[in-house]
Amino acid sequence: MTNKLLSYEASVNWLRNQPQHSKLVELCYLDRDNLAAAKRFASSEEFEKITKILHLDNIQKKLKVLDLGCGNGIAAYSFASLGHEVYAVDPDTSEDVGLGATKRLASVVNKGLISTHQAFAESLPFTDATFDIIYARQALHHFTDLSKGLSECSRVLKPKGLLLATREHVVSNNEQLKVFLDEHILHKLHEGENAYCLKDYISAIEQSGIKVLKLLAPFDTIINHYPLSNSDIRNSLVEGLNKKIGTLPTQFIAKLPLIENLYRYYLSQSCNYPGRLYSFLGSKQEIK
């Protein structure tokens, strides 16, 4: 490692060559074999939840989906595998972690379609009201201009179309932002990371003409608390209840959905670490 900044692709390759970070590479879906990573994401609890939030689990028609900040194409592959027409957008054209990797997936996807487009969020090469869904995984915090990027999202989204922005880094103040950036492994190499206050995300989304329908806190959903699984959360709940009220009462109480929801709420309210993850579901408002 040197003090010279690396490209994102070079940073990821450095990470892959560190044996102590092999599990992190896998958890981040940054495998050298991006088809294997894409298949793993497509079958994950996270993507299963995404399909439910977007109501894709019971929609038969082909939708136009914009995968914004597509990276190595794992989400584009997953949406296309459901039969949808996916437009994968990223400014990075690299063969390993950018559009080059996504193009490889486009050539092997069995259902649906994937087309790739080099662009920044602030200047999307699509006509107004093109997409039924815009999906952005860990992308908003990379926008050069959050408000402008979201305004472009609103422009190309159909009226009543859905925006799902997931796993966005949140901080409380500039001090937390500094801590987050100082501790982020890849940011030390390429300085491509960022985070915003929660109110800034919400304000930029709403001002773009997209109404926030759901704000998902860190432990509300697997989408945010991955790599912790839903089973990990439930096991933690059971363990805590066993200590407080004993095994027999826990066997009954822990099965109640309300108890798990309250536990998740408690965990989210207690979560204040720099870079904690939130997700946003929004719908474009119709102009009356």
Side-chain angles (χ1 to χ4, degrees), residues 194-207:
N194 197 8
Y196 293 97
C197 294
L198 189 58
K199 63 180 177 60
D200 294 328
Y201 284 114
I202 295 172
S203 175
I205 293 171
E206 299 254 329
Q207 288 179 12

Side-chain angles (χ1 to χ4, degrees), residues 65-77 79 85-94 97-100 102-103 113-127 130-131 133-140 142-143 149 152-153 155-156:
V65 179
L66 171 59
D67 180 10
L68 187 56
C70 65
N72 64 355
I74 60 170
Y77 175 90
F79 284 114
E85 184 178 350
V86 184
Y87 295 70
V89 171
D90 205 286
D92 186 346
T93 60
S94 67
V97 294
L99 293 179
T102 304
K103 286 180 180 178
L113 296 168
I114 301 174
S115 60
T116 58
H117 309 264
Q118 183 187 14
F120 288 91
E122 294 81 3
S123 183
L124 295 173
F126 308 110
T127 57
T130 296
F131 298 102
I133 291 171
I134 296 177
Y135 171 75
R137 186 181 193 265
Q138 300 178 167
L140 300 193
H142 290 294
F143 288 6
E152 275 290 270
C153 288
R155 180 183 67 78
V156 302

Side-chain angles (χ1 to χ4, degrees), residues 129-166:
T130 296
F131 298 102
D132 300 288
I133 291 171
I134 296 177
Y135 171 75
R137 186 181 193 265
Q138 300 178 167
L140 300 193
H141 59 267
H142 290 294
F143 288 6
T144 303
D145 185 322
L146 185 61
S147 294
K148 188 174 181 180
L150 282 163
S151 292
E152 275 290 270
C153 288
S154 181
R155 180 183 67 78
V156 302
L157 191 61
K158 294 178 181 178
K160 295 187 177 180
L162 296 176
L163 165 72
L164 179 60
T166 69

Side-chain angles (χ1 to χ4, degrees), residues 37-49:
K39 289 181 176 180
R40 199 165 66 249
F41 182 74
S43 63
S44 68
E45 283 187 301
E46 179 182 346
F47 190 66
E48 179 184 11
K49 184 64 176 178

Side-chain angles (χ1 to χ4, degrees), residues 68-275:
L68 187 56
C70 65
N72 64 355
I74 60 170
Y77 175 90
S78 301
F79 284 114
S81 295
L82 296 178
H84 301 297
E85 184 178 350
V86 184
Y87 295 70
V89 171
D90 205 286
D92 186 346
T93 60
S94 67
E95 292 297 317
D96 198 12
V97 294
L99 293 179
T102 304
K103 286 180 180 178
R104 289 198 301 275
L105 296 179
S107 69
V108 298
V109 70
N110 293 323
K111 295 170 64 179
L113 296 168
I114 301 174
S115 60
T116 58
H117 309 264
Q118 183 187 14
F120 288 91
E122 294 81 3
S123 183
L124 295 173
F126 308 110
T127 57
D128 296 357
T130 296
F131 298 102
D132 300 288
I133 291 171
I134 296 177
Y135 171 75
R137 186 181 193 265
Q138 300 178 167
L140 300 193
H141 59 267
H142 290 294
F143 288 6
T144 303
D145 185 322
L146 185 61
S147 294
K148 188 174 181 180
L150 282 163
S151 292
E152 275 290 270
C153 288
S154 181
R155 180 183 67 78
V156 302
L157 191 61
K158 294 178 181 178
K160 295 187 177 180
L162 296 176
L163 165 72
L164 179 60
T166 69
R167 297 178 63 84
E168 293 298 339
H169 294 302
V170 168
V171 293
S172 299
N173 48 47
N174 288 334
E175 289 74 19
Q176 277 204 347
L177 176 59
K178 183 178 186 307
V179 171
F180 168 68
L181 296 179
D182 286 346
E183 294 180 351
H184 196 291
I185 276 183
L186 291 181
H187 184 74
K188 295 175 183 178
L189 300 175
H190 72 97
E191 290 192 353
E193 292 299 324
N194 197 8
Y196 293 97
C197 294
L198 189 58
K199 63 180 177 60
D200 294 328
Y201 284 114
I202 295 172
S203 175
I205 293 171
E206 299 254 329
Q207 288 179 12
S208 76
I210 298 173
K211 180 178 176 58
V212 176
L213 302 178
K214 288 185 181 179
L215 172 64
L216 300 168
F219 289 92
D220 285 351
T221 172
I222 180 70
I223 293 172
N224 294 335
H225 62 65
Y226 170 84
L228 282 178
S229 68
N230 286 322
S231 293
D232 290 332
I233 298 295
R234 295 185 190 110
N235 291 339
S236 175
L237 170 61
V238 168
E239 183 179 343
L241 287 174
N242 278 335
K243 291 179 180 178
K244 289 183 179 295
I245 62 176
T247 303
L248 289 178
T250 294
Q251 289 177 351
F252 171 73
I253 293 175
K255 294 178 181 179
L256 299 175
L258 175 62
I259 299 302
E260 182 177 330
N261 290 339
L262 287 173
Y263 181 60
R264 287 175 176 273
Y265 177 79
Y266 164 75
L267 291 176
S268 291
Q269 292 300 303
S270 304
C271 181
N272 192 44
Y273 67 85

Side-chain angles (χ1 to χ4, degrees), residues 2-22:
T2 70
N3 291 328
K4 182 180 179 181
L5 292 180
L6 303 177
S7 67
Y8 178 62
E9 183 179 40
S11 299
V12 170
N13 280 323
W14 174 87
L15 191 68
R16 288 171 177 161
N17 291 325
Q18 312 307 308
Q20 70 273 28
H21 294 315
S22 59

